Amino acid sequence: MLVRLLAAVLLVVLAAAGLAQAPEAEATRLSEQWEAQAQGAEQRLADPTVRAAALEALRREIAEQRGAAQALRGTANAAVEPLRVQLEALGPPPAEGAIEAPEIADQRARLSEELARAEAPARIADSAYQRADAIIGRIDEMLRRRFADELLAQRGTPLHPASWIAAVAEIVDRGTLALRDATDGIGRSGSRPGLALITAALGLIVLVGVRTRVMDWFGRRLSPALIQAGPARQAGPRMVWFGAGLTFAALLVPMAGAAMLLIARDASGMINGYAAPFLRDLNAFAFCLVVAYWLSQTLFGVEVPARTLVPMAPPRARQAGRMTLVLGVVIGLDSVLVDSTGAAFLSLPTLAVMNLILIAVGATALWRLGRALRPDPVETAREEADADEAAEGTTPGALGDIVRGVIARGCTLFAIAAPLLAAFGYYAAARFAFYPVLLTLAVIGGVVVFVALVQDGVEAALTDADGKTVERSSLRLLPILSGFGLVCLAVPLLALVWGARESDLSETWRVLTEGLAVGETRIRPIDFVTFAVVFAVGYTLTRLVQGILRGTVLPQTALDSGGRMAIVSMAGYVGFFFAGLAAISATGIDLSSLAIVAGALSVGIGFGLQTIVSNFVSGLILLIERPIKEGDWIKVGEFEGTVRRISVRSTVVQTFDRAAVVVPNADLITRPVLNRTLTGTVGRIIIPVGVAYGSDTRRVEAVLKTIAERSPILLRRPAPIVLFREFGRDALIFEIRGFLRDVNTSLTAASEFNHEIARRFAEERIEIPYSMSDLSDRPVVAPPDSVAPAMDAPKRA
């Protein structure tokens, strides 16, 4: 047996050694290559004249090297793990002076040697990874420092008259050249003037005629007067679908017209010579203009006020829409004249002058847009007074006003800062303080529009044929979730807008996937996402199993409702427990590392959380032993009612006054509890009856017995009985005792018996006396004839 064990161990060791040789040879080859690349990178980083593009290329090269080192480290660790497991299987080394079997000692020495050899590639790869990561950090630092230096660099101010004269002359000269090249290209081979004229005419027709008619059509359909005049059940869905159609039409119709004009440009042959880069950049100009028009229509309802997503007065909405169009034109012109390939033919002073002009025009529009977006205090006060929600906290309308106020102040601030920076010669800083702001506003507007579309779809789905809307539904969370998802997608885009590089985004993604090393533990944000997803899947499956048990399986059994609910609850707890274990296992968390923490927490649980633990254990006992089940009529302490829900911490008892009492489970285990329906619903009812002194007791007993035996409420077995209980203070006390099939109907049964007893006693002329205390408390009513003499007594006196 020992020989076979040693042979198996030897085969595993040889296989692990064979696997370890390949990473070792690969590490030796790659180590020399990486060393040469690292030395070359450090030499280039020492050169202060290296360009940013070269640094970016160098960074990509080192990043590939880091990825290869990481892959090699993973392969080497995979080869090391079997050897480490085999070495741990041999047990700890013997103490000093102890004797170990020669076979085990040889095996331990061989495994130790193989383990040391297999760990060498992992250490080489880890060293290369750390060095590459340090070089990448240095490159990123250099690029960020250069970006900051570029923002703070001051060049000549464009306000000098000589700069304007030179800029005008250069613009006229370059414009003449571009116009000449464009006209020369019209007749060259390959151009199609006929197609260009037709598509240009169609584009103008779409932009001017079709667009106007389409917007007018939606304006009539979305008119509040028309909607109110229509059927109530159609007003809501019509508003939703026509609003969505307007949103898409405001984007697609201008886009179609712009696309036809661009096709006409390509077919005309004007893309020629010096005019080519400027004409090619007209794509960006058309895109900016179409998006600006779309945002102006959907956000501010310039042509269709009924579709305004940003609520404001019509004059301010029209102003905001016009300023949005102006800003779109400014961004488009900048993409053609300044931030384009054609700008390479222009001098820096000319670019600074054009940059100042565009920023000044755009800053004026941005200032007016901020003033239009600023909430009106009078309108806000009126809305708050109408809604009467000041005492309820921050309302959605108030939150929208706060956001609009922040955006308006930001627009005002940047509208002042950008022209000043451009005027004083801070070319890069002025552009950084202006154009990212516009793009950020465009992204925010796009998110608002798409969330509004989702909101409209939800409202349409929750509106029935009669025009009524479901107030509470899980679908109402969809706009919030979609808005959160759009914001998450917009964050990388906004990062690029505000100066982040693609390498920064890739580095952020690497950190999210690989995590950060804290000591010997690596924390990866992606693990939290994995944990949430796996647990959500397990939670959903558990709820599905509970639903199947509750609705399909358990109703086919002989279990009562309490037993079925107990099984469903236990299935839920077991499912949640295994869902948590699966989520922890999926993230790769070592539970053994939590042993110390669990040991420390056990002390706190023993002292500070002993009540909670006691209630938890008591809840499990209630679900398993079932001394109390859902639907039972119990009395615990001063509370009496029906058990509605049993959880692991507490039990909810609904009193007969419809009040819910939350009882800790420990009280139900450690204190006496009266359960009227533990073994069944059969229960005894006692009806006390008092008759006047002097009544024939045998006759009273016979009447009561007849009532009890003829009653369909009481069970025949055990048979009801009538007892002469006692001589009371004011009456002779009798009792009817019988058993009900359902003790929960005892109050109704007692009422029916009392009615029947009163009827039979009246027929038999059996008197039910008043209590002497009741007679003494009753007011004495004088006869009518005694009233006048009593009132006239003072007169006679």
Side-chain angles (χ1 to χ4, degrees):
M1 184 67 181
L2 180 60
V3 176
R4 293 181 180 179
L5 177 61
L6 292 177
V9 171
L10 182 60
L11 290 176
V12 172
V13 171
L14 292 177
L19 292 175
Q21 289 177 359
E24 184 178 3
E26 183 70 12
T28 304
R29 183 184 65 82
L30 292 177
S31 176
E32 299 176 355
Q33 178 182 350
W34 291 342
E35 181 65 24
Q37 290 179 348
Q39 291 180 358
E42 291 175 350
Q43 291 177 0
R44 297 179 66 180
L45 291 178
D47 184 8
T49 61
V50 62
R51 300 177 63 86
L55 289 177
E56 287 286 357
L58 180 62
R59 190 192 187 283
R60 288 192 293 270
E61 179 182 346
I62 300 301
E64 292 177 359
Q65 173 185 330
R66 183 179 61 182
Q70 182 181 6
L72 178 59
R73 183 173 59 182
T75 305
N77 288 332
V80 165
E81 189 62 27
L83 298 174
R84 185 177 289 120
V85 171
Q86 291 298 324
L87 189 59
E88 291 176 355
L90 296 179
E96 185 177 356
I99 300 176
E100 188 177 27
E103 297 84 356
I104 302 299
D106 294 341
Q107 187 66 25
R108 188 186 305 278
R110 188 180 303 106
L111 286 173
S112 300
E113 181 181 356
E114 294 294 338
L115 181 61
R117 187 181 302 111
E119 287 179 345
R123 294 176 181 176
I124 293 174
D126 188 67
S127 176
Y129 179 90
Q130 298 297 334
R131 187 173 183 180
D133 194 62
I135 293 175
I136 290 174
R138 288 180 58 188
I139 295 175
D140 290 339
E141 180 64 27
M142 289 182 64
L143 290 174
R144 283 191 290 266
R145 186 169 59 251
R146 290 190 179 188
F147 180 72
D149 294 341
E150 180 68 20
L151 289 180
L152 299 177
Q154 183 184 17
R155 297 176 175 86
T157 173
L159 296 178
H160 197 280
S163 300
W164 285 76
I165 295 173
V168 170
E170 186 176 1
I171 292 173
V172 171
D173 180 54
R174 301 299 182 185
T176 303
L177 292 176
L179 182 60
R180 185 196 63 190
D181 291 344
T183 54
D184 292 344
I186 293 178
R188 66 188 179 94
S189 60
S191 63
R192 291 172 290 178
L195 178 61
L197 288 175
I198 294 174
T199 53
L202 290 177
L204 292 176
I205 291 173
V206 171
L207 289 176
V208 178
V210 176
R211 181 192 60 81
T212 304
R213 291 180 178 274
V214 169
M215 301 306 293
D216 290 342
W217 187 85
F218 278 107
R220 292 192 301 270
R221 296 303 184 277
L222 292 172
S223 174
L226 181 62
I227 293 175
Q228 294 176 1
R233 63 182 181 180
Q234 296 181 3
R238 285 181 59 186
M239 189 73 173
V240 169
W241 294 117
F242 285 130
L246 170 66
T247 302
F248 289 105
L251 177 65
L252 298 178
V253 175
M255 186 180 295
M260 292 179 184
L261 292 178
L262 293 176
I263 292 173
R265 176 207 59 183
D266 296 337
S268 65
M270 297 174 64
I271 303 178
N272 179 47
Y274 191 78
F278 296 101
L279 292 177
R280 289 195 183 97
D281 291 333
L282 286 177
N283 294 338
F285 177 81
F287 176 79
C288 295
L289 201 57
V290 168
V291 172
Y293 175 79
W294 176 62
L295 292 176
S296 68
Q297 293 297 321
T298 53
L299 293 177
F300 309 113
V302 179
E303 299 181 17
V304 186
R307 187 56 183 172
T308 303
L309 295 181
V310 180
M312 58 177 63
R316 299 172 65 191
R318 286 192 292 270
Q319 177 180 342
R322 288 195 298 267
M323 295 306 102
T324 302
L325 287 176
V326 172
L327 291 175
V329 173
V330 169
I331 298 177
L333 290 176
D334 178 79
S335 63
V336 174
L337 301 176
V338 180
D339 190 20
S340 64
T341 55
F345 298 100
L346 300 175
S347 63
L348 185 58
T350 302
L351 292 176
V353 170
M354 290 193 299
N355 184 62
L356 176 60
I357 295 173
L358 292 176
I359 287 181
V361 174
T364 304
L366 187 62
W367 172 280
R368 298 190 65 185
L369 177 62
R371 290 180 62 86
L373 290 175
R374 189 175 301 169
D376 189 355
V378 178
E379 295 179 0
T380 303
R382 186 183 301 114
E383 291 176 0
E384 290 180 353
D386 295 338
D388 194 18
E389 294 177 335
E392 300 296 332
T394 302
T395 62
L399 181 61
D401 290 341
I402 293 174
V403 174
R404 284 175 54 188
V406 172
I407 293 176
R409 290 183 178 87
C411 292
T412 303
L413 176 62
F414 286 104
I416 296 173
L420 291 177
L421 291 173
F424 283 103
Y426 291 95
Y427 178 83
R431 297 182 60 81
F432 184 76
F434 183 71
Y435 292 104
V437 175
L438 302 186
L439 296 177
T440 301
L441 293 176
V443 171
I444 294 175
V447 170
V448 171
V449 172
F450 282 112
V451 171
L453 286 175
V454 177
Q455 178 70 33
D456 290 345
V458 170
E459 292 296 333
L462 296 180
T463 303
D464 57 12
D466 296 330
K468 297 181 180 180
T469 304
V470 180
E471 294 296 333
R472 297 182 179 273
S473 174
S474 57
L475 286 178
R476 294 197 178 276
L477 294 176
L478 190 59
I480 300 176
L481 297 177
S482 63
F484 178 76
L486 289 174
V487 169
C488 292
L489 293 177
V491 167
L493 179 61
L494 293 178
L496 294 175
V497 166
W498 286 97
R501 310 186 313 276
E502 294 181 3
S503 57
D504 294 332
L505 299 182
S506 62
E507 189 70 15
T508 303
W509 179 252
R510 185 190 67 83
V511 172
L512 292 176
T513 53
E514 296 183 9
L516 297 174
V518 180
E520 297 182 355
T521 304
R522 180 167 292 276
I523 301 176
R524 299 187 303 171
I526 196 67
D527 289 341
F528 294 99
V529 179
T530 304
F531 180 89
V533 171
V534 174
F535 185 78
V537 172
Y539 180 86
T540 304
L541 292 178
T542 301
R543 288 298 188 188
L544 180 62
V545 171
Q546 284 184 301
I548 294 175
L549 290 176
R550 185 186 298 110
T552 304
V553 178
L554 295 179
Q556 308 302 324
T557 64
L559 293 174
D560 56 7
S561 60
R564 293 197 295 265
M565 292 305 298
I567 293 177
V568 171
S569 299
M570 291 299 297
Y573 298 141
V574 172
F576 297 151
F577 175 75
F578 283 105
L581 287 182
I584 293 174
S585 301
T587 56
I589 299 176
D590 187 5
L591 296 180
S592 62
S593 61
L594 301 178
I596 299 177
V597 179
L601 288 178
S602 62
V603 179
I605 293 175
F607 290 97
L609 302 179
Q610 56 181 347
T611 303
I612 297 177
V613 174
S614 176
N615 290 326
F616 177 80
V617 175
S618 300
L620 295 179
I621 294 175
L622 291 176
L623 290 174
I624 297 174
E625 187 180 338
R626 296 178 60 211
I628 296 172
K629 57 184 180 297
E630 293 188 11
D632 282 353
W633 176 1
I634 68 171
K635 181 178 182 181
V636 51
E638 57 180 321
F639 302 107
E640 186 173 6
T642 306
V643 178
R644 291 303 181 193
R645 187 176 70 253
I646 301 176
S647 61
V648 293
R649 192 199 67 83
S650 61
T651 297
V652 178
V653 178
Q654 186 180 46
T655 66
F656 299 112
D657 298 329
R658 294 294 178 181
V661 181
V662 180
V663 182
N665 289 332
D667 292 347
L668 300 176
I669 296 297
T670 59
R671 296 175 56 183
V673 178
L674 174 63
N675 191 340
R676 297 182 182 272
T677 56
L678 175 61
T679 57
T681 58
V682 176
R684 189 173 68 175
I685 185 174
I686 299 176
I687 309 297
V689 181
V691 298
Y693 275 92
S695 301
D696 187 352
T697 57
R698 294 296 181 180
R699 182 162 163 256
V700 171
E701 180 181 10
V703 171
L704 293 178
K705 191 170 184 180
T706 301
I707 293 173
E709 291 176 349
R710 293 180 179 180
S711 172
I713 301 175
L714 298 180
L715 296 177
R716 302 277 74 83
R717 294 181 181 179
I721 62 174
V722 178
L723 300 177
F724 181 11
R725 288 285 295 168
E726 59 179 326
F727 295 92
R729 175 183 175 184
D730 304 309
L732 304 175
I733 307 301
F734 288 80
E735 286 182 355
I736 298 178
R737 296 192 176 192
F739 287 87
L740 299 174
R741 189 175 306 277
D742 188 357
V743 73
N744 294 304
T745 62
S746 58
L747 293 178
T748 305
S751 177
E752 294 295 330
F753 268 109
N754 289 333
H755 283 298
E756 183 65 16
I757 290 171
R759 187 185 67 82
R760 289 297 307 276
F761 277 15
E763 293 177 354
E764 300 291 338
R765 297 184 180 275
I766 300 175
E767 181 182 358
I768 301 176
Y770 289 108
S771 173
M772 298 304 294
S773 59
D774 294 340
L775 293 174
S776 63
D777 292 340
R778 288 176 174 270
V780 178
V781 181
D785 296 339
S786 65
V787 175
M791 295 178 63
D792 295 336
K795 296 181 180 180
R796 289 194 297 269

